[in-house]
Amino acid sequence: MSIELDLPGTPDTPRVVVAMSGGVDSSVVAALVSEAGYETIGITLQLYDHSQAVGQPGTCCAGSDIHDARRVADRLGIPHYVLDYESAFRGSVIDDFADSYARGETPIPCVRCNQTVKFRDLLQVARDLGADALATGHYVRRLDGAAGPELHRAVDPARDQSYFLFATTQEQLGFLRFPLGDMEKSAVREHAARLGLGVANKPDSQDICFVPSGDYASLVKKLRPETAAPGEIVDLSGKILGRHSGLVHYTVGQRRGIEIGGQPEPLYVVRLEPESGRLVVGPRLALGVSSCDLSDINWLGGKIPDGGVAVTAKIRSMARPAPARFDGRAVTFETPEFGVAPGQAAVLYDGNRVLGGGWIKTTESALNAMAA
């Protein structure tokens, strides 16, 4: 297979930096870029104390993954560098993750990592190396539009990662390339096998890379002990129903673990109040949200007309796109949306095109909106 990265105005042999995590996706990208004749440089970021993750499969950028990336680079005959970004990753991603939990939010560290360490810091490293592009193993498409490069969903809907890349700016899109956006995962593994890459059958990452055990609460309690303080569980009217063992154990929409019996219907976490230490619970109907306000908005969709623009909005990575309207600050849903949590992202689409998105700061209850 030959890939074309569309690098106009570059030298006869363009230089491409490939972000190599040690997994099959980024390894295949490096192999395909090299096979296509580009001057290829692999870079792996050491993001945390990888010695703690050795022997724990299903994580990215751990010690074994750095070793896998190096082996692939050696097989391809390309330069490979490991850069220590542990300090930057801790400040931009891990501390932000813990702070978000402490504020009663539901964080998405993978977006922060792409937004900061990968598409800010690593992109600058690639430029410093004189590269013409930075290629990654993300399943997303970069297409040329009338006003410049656009971000689109991947061809394989089961692998699409566009939700996690909403913060990618127009300038960054001009430098980034995503060779896997037009492929299905099975085809990527076939290429890995064809190219003789040792990671061809390596399992995909499942957990947040710096919490390979999946026990997020233990990490947050260690970094922000106040999140483990016990407090009251109250209903929507403020009536005390019981006690909880720390807000760190709960997220909006959660049903399991509340352990309040004798109620006429199941209870869900409606919101967390870190100032008072209270956990507010209610029936599923109380989770309905009519609108949400966004912060740190990244907009790729051109001028927003008066009255807003019709979009489909995803408020979780696995959520179905919901019809909505965006006015440049707030997203208003056509029908109540459930599971909308501060700290998550609302990513806005026009069909397969990513128009942009932002971080959910506040929500408006559909019950309140109906009562108004």
Side-chain angles (χ1 to χ4, degrees):
M1 173 186 177
S2 178
I3 61 170
E4 174 58 57
L5 296 184
D6 185 23
L7 300 174
T10 58
D12 291 338
T13 305
R15 177 177 295 172
V16 178
V17 166
V18 178
M20 299 181 68
S21 69
V24 63
D25 296 326
S26 61
S27 296
V28 168
V29 168
L32 292 177
V33 170
S34 178
E35 186 180 49
Y38 296 100
E39 180 186 352
T40 309
I41 301 173
I43 292 183
T44 301
L45 301 181
Q46 179 180 317
L47 300 180
Y48 54 92
D49 184 359
H50 59 78
S51 64
Q52 297 179 11
V54 171
Q56 300 185 58
T59 68
C60 73
C61 300
S64 59
D65 296 315
I66 292 174
H67 176 67
D68 287 341
R70 182 175 290 117
R71 284 198 307 159
V72 168
D74 287 345
R75 177 169 181 80
L76 299 176
I78 64 173
H80 176 250
Y81 303 99
V82 178
L83 304 182
D84 183 356
Y85 269 64
E86 186 174 339
S87 177
F89 185 75
R90 181 179 180 89
S92 298
V93 181
I94 298 179
D95 285 344
D96 179 82
F97 177 79
D99 288 339
S100 184
Y101 262 108
R103 292 191 297 268
E105 299 173 345
T106 306
I108 322 174
C110 295
V111 174
R112 288 296 190 197
C113 185
N114 290 326
Q115 185 179 24
T116 56
V117 178
K118 290 182 180 176
F119 288 177
R120 182 191 67 196
D121 300 340
L122 180 55
L123 190 144
Q124 186 57 53
V125 169
R127 291 189 186 278
D128 291 343
L129 289 172
D132 299 288
L134 171 64
T136 79
H138 290 100
Y139 285 85
V140 69
R141 289 182 296 161
R142 173 195 178 278
L143 302 178
D144 289 325
E150 299 174 351
L151 193 63
H152 287 248
R153 298 181 200 265
V155 166
D156 186 347
R159 296 289 173 178
D160 174 56
Q161 293 174 296
S162 60
Y163 178 86
F164 298 101
L165 299 180
F166 81 87
T168 306
T169 66
Q170 195 79 45
E171 181 184 8
Q172 291 168 342
L173 273 180
F175 194 71
L176 288 162
R177 297 295 186 274
F178 308 105
L180 305 188
D182 291 313
M183 297 186 202
E184 295 187 350
K185 184 71 176 196
S186 58
V188 173
R189 291 200 182 275
E190 288 171 4
H191 280 298
R194 173 181 68 83
L195 295 161
L197 304 183
V199 295
N201 295 313
K202 186 173 181 177
D204 293 332
S205 299
Q206 299 296 328
D207 296 309
I208 294 174
C209 67
F210 56 91
V211 195
S213 68
D215 187 0
Y216 311 140
S218 291
L219 173 69
V220 176
K221 285 190 288 186
K222 179 180 177 181
L223 297 176
R224 302 291 183 270
E226 67 274 16
T227 62
E232 298 172 342
I233 301 177
V234 302
D235 65 13
L236 296 174
S237 69
K239 178 183 176 182
I240 298 174
L241 302 178
R243 301 277 296 176
H244 64 77
S245 59
L247 293 179
V248 68
H249 299 289
Y250 303 92
T251 57
V252 171
Q254 181 175 329
R255 178 181 172 185
R256 299 180 64 179
I258 298 175
E259 297 179 353
I260 300 293
Q263 301 299 312
E265 55 186 312
L267 295 176
Y268 296 81
V269 174
V270 176
R271 66 178 179 273
L272 292 79
E273 297 181 349
E275 298 84 1
S276 64
R278 298 195 308 177
L279 182 72
V280 182
V281 300
R284 185 178 184 278
L285 189 61
L287 290 173
V289 165
S290 60
S291 65
C292 59
D293 285 342
L294 307 184
S295 69
D296 300 322
I297 296 167
N298 181 53
W299 186 249
L300 303 170
K303 181 177 174 57
I304 299 175
D306 293 341
V309 59
V311 299
T312 56
K314 290 186 69 171
I315 47 81
R316 295 183 311 281
S317 63
M318 301 304 293
R320 59 169 179 78
R325 197 155 198 89
F326 180 61
D327 64 6
R329 179 186 62 85
V331 178
T332 301
F333 303 103
E334 284 190 6
T335 59
E337 189 70 8
F338 291 79
V340 186
Q344 293 283 93
V347 181
L348 312 176
Y349 296 83
D350 176 13
N352 287 322
R353 182 186 175 189
V354 179
L355 296 177
W359 298 97
I360 299 171
K361 298 304 292 183
T362 60
T363 61
E364 175 68 23
S365 168
L367 293 178
N368 293 342
M370 288 186 291

